[in-house]
Amino acid sequence: MKKDYRKYLLSTVNWPVFIISGGFLLLFVVLAFSNVGFTSFYVRKGFELSIKYFGAYWQVLLLATFAVGAILAFSKYGHVRLGKLQKPEMGFIKYLSIVITTGLGAGGVFWAAAEPLYYFLEAPPTFMNIDSGTEEAIKPALAQSFISWGFTAWAVYGAISVIVILYAHNYKGVPLKPRAILYPVFGDRIKDSAWGNAADVFCIIGAAAGTIGPIGFLGLQVSYGLNNLFGWPDNYTTQVLIILTLTSVVLLSTLTGIEKGIQWLSRLNVNTALVIGLFLIVFGPGIFLVDAYISATGTYFANFLEISTYRGNNEWLGTWTLFFFGWFIGFGPLVGLLVARISRGRTIREVFIVVAILTPIVTNVWFSILGGSGIYYELSTPGSVSESLNQNGLPAAIIAIAKQMPLGNIMPFVFLLLTVLFVVTTVDSMAYSLSMSVTGVGNPPKLIRFFWATIMSLIAVILINIGDGGIDALQSFVVIAAVPVSIIMLPLLWGAPKVAILLAKDQGIVPIERKIHEGTLTRDSEKIKSS
């Protein structure tokens, strides 16, 4: 039995992709450990060049991805059912929970609390006529956050990539790997080509780097919170213990697979956030939060294109909007791979509505509750949140806000627990996606999932030991990794519609027409069969 498993493991893993992607991450750590200043300098340069030369492209790519997905979803092609199944494999609530928690990740607490407050304290350049720190600044602050985590950003998490991935996998035998995205370009050659290996490597590195950062931030966040609340030492030992605890939970979840572990964590995560949100609306500044969300949504839609395509201040864009866009793009193929794995039997319309409409709406509501509460308390008592934020950074924001909430003596602890849940669920999901990327199977070997969860946690521990420079360099590297990933995702804009048309004809949703081309009579159905 052991020999059979070893043989299965050896034959399943794409060792060149596994070694190159894992080796690159280890090399990055070695360089950062040996000379963090040198590494940070060149990564920062790469970050600036990425923002300068690819920022506008990313803005257009996100808009185009959402537009193509919306056109397909709300046309007759939206009825196309994906993955060769007639009904979904899991319930809608479970499905929605996994998508939300995988995509939201560390942003669920870190950025939800701090980002709107940053914009409130210093108005974005798209709203320069607004006086910062006033009631007039509430709507623009939340609306700007909605852009960073809104419809177009979420669309890269599978709104159209799922169509191509499931077609390539279920109809053409392409493994469940990021390379499946390129099937419309290379056809069957993508299965074993160097281009396919390169696509897998770039996407794996981008997603792994993007996951390591939140693990490191979790250690810093919880360590700061425990020190602030209970006087525990805020030092490297505490941070390592926190990350080891997180890793243990992830490793336990890997034993149960996506049908139990990830589903259970996702539901727990969403239910906890739902209870907290309802509690704050009922017992906290509920009317203020509801009004803020509704008015900010109006501002968001009224200024949507202007904010989404703003090109004025490149330094500010790199710090905020384009940083988040790059992060979404870097995660895009791997999150899309996981969404594809759980989307068999769903229609194009269902996938788009969940990924590109419901999840950003839920995200924006959540940002309005957490970030809106911070703004409310800052307005009521100037400095009550901003001083902690300015002095101690992101880890301090949620603690300062939570202490002023109803039940302020226990709410900070509740939010620390929620932070852990968000990050654990994301790490678990991404370890699963990374394992699929190097094996190409829907249920990758547990040993490979163990490896990715462990190696990402170890790298985070090493980077924390180096200091803020190591984590900052990794965060900037995520944006650099988004450059090749964004090029890989470009063919989806025309590949997804082509696949949708083929599937619609195959499923009888649109009629198969006889066409005369250069004197030769062909049938589209024959094209489908031959392809």
Side-chain angles (χ1 to χ4, degrees):
M1 188 72 176
K2 289 183 178 179
K3 286 186 177 180
D4 291 341
Y5 181 77
R6 191 181 299 118
K7 185 184 294 184
Y8 169 72
L9 190 64
L10 290 172
S11 62
T12 301
V13 175
N14 185 323
W15 291 103
V17 170
F18 183 74
I19 292 170
I20 293 172
S21 55
F24 185 89
L25 291 170
L26 292 175
L27 176 62
F28 178 88
V29 173
V30 170
L31 290 174
F33 192 77
S34 59
N35 193 333
V36 67
F38 174 86
T39 304
S40 298
F41 174 79
Y42 280 100
V43 168
R44 185 66 193 175
K45 281 293 183 182
F47 173 87
E48 291 171 357
L49 291 174
S50 300
I51 295 297
K52 181 178 180 180
Y53 292 106
F54 285 86
Y57 165 60
W58 293 347
Q59 289 171 293
V60 174
L61 178 65
L62 264 61
L63 286 168
T65 299
F66 181 82
V68 170
I71 291 169
L72 291 176
F74 297 108
S75 67
K76 55 191 173 185
Y77 300 108
H79 297 290
V80 168
R81 204 162 285 277
L82 302 169
K84 282 189 172 180
L85 282 182
Q86 291 304 308
K87 62 179 183 178
E89 295 178 296
M90 69 173 62
F92 181 80
I93 298 300
K94 294 178 181 177
Y95 177 66
L96 178 63
S97 298
I98 292 176
V99 176
I100 290 173
T101 52
T102 299
L104 193 54
V109 177
F110 292 129
W111 294 110
E115 188 182 356
L117 190 63
Y118 273 120
Y119 298 147
F120 172 74
L121 296 172
E122 186 175 344
T126 45
F127 296 100
M128 288 302 293
N129 58 328
I130 300 296
D131 292 329
S132 300
T134 65
E135 291 189 8
E136 188 184 17
I138 298 172
K139 293 187 297 183
L142 289 171
Q144 186 69 51
S145 299
F146 294 173
I147 289 291
S148 301
W149 301 79
F151 299 118
T152 57
W154 274 94
V156 300
Y157 279 171
I160 59 177
S161 62
V162 166
I163 301 171
V164 175
I165 292 171
L166 286 180
Y167 175 76
H169 179 63
N170 292 119
Y171 287 81
K172 303 301 176 183
V174 178
L176 272 175
K177 298 178 179 180
R179 68 180 66 200
I181 291 173
L182 294 176
Y183 184 84
V185 178
F186 293 96
D188 290 335
R189 290 175 297 164
I190 200 62
K191 294 180 184 178
D192 303 305
S193 71
W195 287 108
N197 287 342
D200 291 346
V201 167
F202 283 126
C203 294
I204 288 171
I205 290 173
T211 308
I212 294 165
I215 296 175
F217 276 128
L218 175 73
L220 299 173
Q221 170 81 76
V222 177
S223 179
Y224 172 85
L226 293 176
N227 173 263
N228 188 277
L229 298 174
F230 306 112
W232 291 16
D234 182 12
N235 55 25
Y236 183 62
T237 301
T238 303
Q239 294 157 7
V240 171
L241 289 174
I242 292 164
I243 292 175
L244 290 177
T245 302
L246 172 145
T247 308
S248 300
V249 176
V250 173
L251 294 180
L252 286 173
S253 178
T254 62
L255 297 174
T256 58
I258 196 169
E259 289 79 11
K260 294 182 180 179
I262 294 177
Q263 282 191 37
W264 184 83
L265 281 172
S266 299
R267 288 202 309 273
L268 177 62
N269 207 333
V270 169
N271 290 337
T272 303
L274 181 62
V275 170
I276 292 173
L278 290 174
F279 172 80
L280 291 176
I281 290 174
V282 174
F283 298 103
I287 295 177
F288 175 89
L289 298 179
V290 172
D291 289 345
Y293 171 73
I294 293 175
S295 58
T297 300
T299 302
Y300 171 58
F301 283 118
N303 299 274
F304 175 75
L305 283 177
E306 181 183 357
I307 305 175
S308 298
T309 57
Y310 173 74
R311 297 295 306 156
N313 186 331
N314 229 32
E315 183 178 353
W316 184 90
L317 282 170
T319 303
W320 296 107
T321 307
L322 291 180
F323 169 77
F324 290 115
F325 283 2
W327 209 345
F328 270 88
I329 291 170
F331 269 112
L334 270 293
V335 176
L337 200 66
L338 181 71
V339 174
R341 168 65 179 79
I342 62 176
S343 293
R344 291 188 65 203
R346 296 199 178 275
T347 64
I348 289 176
R349 183 171 299 163
E350 288 175 317
V351 172
F352 180 82
I353 288 174
V354 166
V355 172
I357 295 182
L358 290 182
T359 46
I361 288 176
V362 170
T363 301
N364 292 343
V365 169
W366 180 246
F367 268 60
S368 297
I369 292 173
L370 275 197
S373 294
I375 292 172
Y376 174 83
Y377 296 129
E378 181 66 21
L379 271 174
S380 302
T381 310
S384 61
V385 182
S386 58
E387 287 184 8
S388 296
L389 181 64
N390 293 330
Q391 291 174 8
N392 301 298
L394 284 175
I398 187 58
I399 301 299
I401 295 171
K403 282 184 173 181
Q404 300 180 71
M405 291 176 176
L407 302 180
N409 56 331
I410 65 171
M411 290 304 287
F413 178 78
V414 171
F415 275 104
L416 289 180
L417 176 62
L418 185 63
T419 302
V420 173
L421 283 175
F422 268 116
V423 178
V424 164
T425 308
T426 297
V427 174
D428 195 8
S429 300
M430 294 315 296
Y432 197 98
S433 295
L434 290 164
S435 301
M436 283 197 294
S437 299
V438 297
T439 62
V441 295
N443 292 298
K446 292 183 177 65
L447 187 61
I448 302 299
R449 294 176 61 191
F450 267 62
F451 168 81
W452 282 113
T454 303
I455 197 67
M456 288 190 294
S457 298
L458 288 176
I459 292 174
V461 166
I462 294 170
L463 290 175
I464 286 178
N465 187 38
I466 294 170
D468 290 344
I471 294 291
D472 290 344
L474 186 69
Q475 295 294 95
S476 297
F477 181 74
V478 175
V479 175
I480 298 173
V483 172
V485 174
S486 65
I487 296 171
I488 291 169
M489 299 187 75
L490 180 62
L492 290 170
L493 298 179
W494 59 86
K498 287 182 178 179
V499 169
I501 292 170
L502 284 174
L503 291 175
K505 291 177 179 178
D506 192 38
Q507 295 176 20
I509 293 171
V510 297
I512 300 173
E513 299 175 358
R514 299 175 68 88
K515 296 180 181 178
I516 298 178
H517 179 63
E518 295 181 355
T520 303
L521 184 66
T522 62
R523 287 181 60 86
D524 289 334
S525 60
E526 292 172 358
K527 291 182 182 179
I528 297 170
K529 293 176 183 177
S530 64
S531 64

